[in-house]
Amino acid sequence: MNAHAAFRRAVDARDLPALVALFRDDALLWSPVSFKPFEGRAAIQHLLEILFAVFEEFHYTDELRADDDRTAALIFRARVGGRDVEGLDLLRFDGDGKVRELTVMVRPRSALEALFAAVGARLAASAAG
């Protein structure tokens, strides 16, 4: 199974340990809710735990891949805080098939605001406690 298929399978199964194992130790996750990337597997795992709790009815609708299988874009739909969300997970893999970088983009603005509110509150609560 190629790397992007393994990523999609882990997300579809909501299998957080399998998903986190696909990231390099020094991976970056660029989130629409933060200016700076989440750096490293532990930080990414924490954010993914929150996203698994926040996203409802999450599912991928389309997949685009580069010819070399080192870049893939997975388009998704979900709901957050009563808002319909459409987004894109842009994945970049290293030569070993590990995720080295994930960039998440979300639209429309109302969905982004709902995502920011839900994720931001959980990140703030975990940082405080």
Side-chain angles (χ1 to χ4, degrees):
M1 179 185 317
N2 55 26
H4 64 275
F7 183 93
R8 185 170 180 167
R9 173 184 248 149
V11 171
D12 288 344
R14 300 183 65 82
D15 186 343
L16 186 61
L19 183 59
V20 171
L22 297 172
F23 284 86
R24 290 170 34 148
D25 289 337
D26 63 346
L28 298 175
L29 190 155
W30 295 90
S31 167
V33 301
S34 174
F35 177 73
K36 291 184 175 184
F38 290 81
E39 297 182 52
R41 194 180 281 163
I44 291 169
Q45 178 175 342
H46 181 62
L47 178 62
L48 291 173
E49 288 169 352
I50 292 170
L51 293 175
F52 274 21
V54 167
F55 279 122
E56 303 166 11
E57 304 172 32
F58 184 98
H59 62 282
Y60 288 116
T61 61
D62 298 284
E63 182 174 319
L64 309 167
R65 290 178 300 186
D67 289 338
D68 64 3
D69 274 344
R70 304 262 318 269
T71 304
L74 301 174
I75 292 84
F76 64 85
R77 290 192 182 269
R79 291 187 57 78
V80 173
R83 300 284 184 186
D84 289 330
V85 177
E86 183 177 34
L88 181 140
D89 288 340
L90 179 60
L91 294 151
R92 293 188 172 95
F93 300 95
D94 66 14
D96 296 323
K98 293 283 191 180
V99 178
R100 66 177 173 81
E101 190 172 322
L102 167 59
T103 302
V104 180
M105 295 174 240
V106 170
R107 66 161 300 280
R109 181 179 173 168
S110 60
L112 179 59
E113 290 169 353
L115 182 64
F116 182 77
V119 172
R122 285 173 171 81
L123 285 173
S126 65

